[in-house]
Amino acid sequence: MPVTVFMPEGTPETKVLATRQYGARVIIAGKNFDEAYAAAKREQLATGAAFVHPFEDLAIIEGQATVAMEMLQQCPDLDTIVVPAGGGGLLAGTAIAAKLMRPEIRVIGVQARAASSIASIFHGTNNTAVPFLPTMAEGIKVKEPGKLTTKIIQAYVDDVITVSEQEIASAILFMLEREKMLVEGAGAAAVAAMLFRHLPFDSARTGVIVSGGNFDIARLEECRKTATDIGTASSY
């Protein structure tokens, strides 16, 4: 089936190339997710194509809920699941599945401090200026989270916290050095929350969702320099 995928400027080239290799047409539009989304909606209206939203869609949320279901099937004694959040689809799906299977489990969302719209809404501070700055966690850089996902998150998620660019960079290096896994900034955000002890309570059995590996190797030096402010992974 012909597919056109809209991505914003600054999307890792690895993600663009992989999507094209799967057979999709990729259009780079806008400086961020929200501008790319607007361009995609204009294309949909002009062509009449079916529109698949990345997070504001119940079917997408249900699909992402299967991650938590598999985690709890493999590790039924988890007491906390930590989830990166941008538009909120993965976090909303995780919360629904986890709370239905284990009502007592705690679900924590993590955002980049540079783009913390969900955290601001969750904590009732969205009446103040919310930062929307460059971040290496481009996969979760969303200015306007979904209305549906926000309702689910407010109902089922226990907390939403933020991490800095230095912490995200350090988490990327940590995963590369210790786990031999190249993780993109969005996935590393959840790892950073653990490494730098940002969880609001103690947890004996914690599951962390590492949501992607679309990271340009050329940016590793930039990542290392960013992490230098608080020490590299070897200091943990």
Side-chain angles (χ1 to χ4, degrees):
M1 181 178 293
V3 174
T4 299
V5 180
F6 282 74
M7 300 182 184
E9 299 169 12
T11 298
E13 191 63 24
T14 52
K15 182 183 292 186
V16 177
L17 291 175
T19 306
R20 285 175 174 156
Q21 287 169 357
Y22 281 123
R25 170 187 176 221
V26 177
I27 295 179
I28 305 298
K31 295 181 180 180
N32 52 57
F33 165 82
D34 301 86
E35 292 181 5
Y37 168 72
K41 286 297 292 181
R42 289 193 295 269
E43 173 88 356
Q44 188 263 335
L45 290 172
T47 63
F51 189 84
V52 179
H53 199 288
F55 50 82
E56 188 70 348
D57 184 310
L58 188 57
I60 296 295
I61 294 170
E62 290 172 344
Q64 293 180 321
T66 63
V67 177
M69 293 174 66
E70 291 185 22
M71 292 175 73
L72 289 172
Q73 287 168 0
Q74 295 177 27
C75 304
D77 57 345
L78 291 179
D79 59 49
T80 306
I81 299 181
V82 184
V83 192
L90 180 60
L91 178 56
T94 299
I96 289 174
K99 296 292 186 176
L100 284 174
M101 296 176 71
R102 291 267 308 284
E104 73 279 9
I105 200 168
R106 293 168 297 195
V107 178
I108 306 297
V110 182
Q111 291 206 286
R113 200 162 294 157
S116 56
S117 55
I118 292 179
S120 177
I121 293 171
F122 187 87
H123 292 287
T125 58
N126 56 312
N127 57 333
T128 60
V130 178
F132 193 63
L133 304 171
T135 173
M136 64 182 64
E138 54 80 29
I140 53 173
K141 184 184 178 184
V142 178
K143 191 172 186 178
E144 295 289 339
K147 293 181 180 179
L148 174 60
T149 57
T150 297
K151 287 181 180 179
I152 295 171
I153 289 166
Q154 289 177 320
Y156 294 105
V157 170
D158 294 278
D159 203 353
V160 182
I161 58 181
T162 63
V163 290
S164 69
E165 292 302 294
Q166 291 84 359
E167 290 168 340
I168 293 171
S170 294
I172 291 172
L173 295 178
F174 174 85
M175 292 297 287
L176 191 59
E177 292 180 2
R178 298 288 184 88
E179 301 296 332
K180 315 306 176 190
M181 183 184 297
L182 185 61
V183 176
E184 65 181 78
V191 178
M194 292 290 299
L195 286 178
F196 292 94
R197 298 176 174 82
H198 287 309
L199 295 193
F201 40 69
D202 292 333
S203 171
R205 296 282 293 178
T206 307
V208 182
I209 295 182
V210 181
S211 59
N214 296 299
F215 185 82
D216 288 334
I217 298 295
R219 296 193 64 189
L220 272 178
E221 180 59 20
E222 173 193 345
C223 184
R224 187 190 66 79
K225 290 179 179 178
T226 302
T228 299
D229 291 342
I230 52 176
T232 61
S234 59
S235 65
Y236 304 133

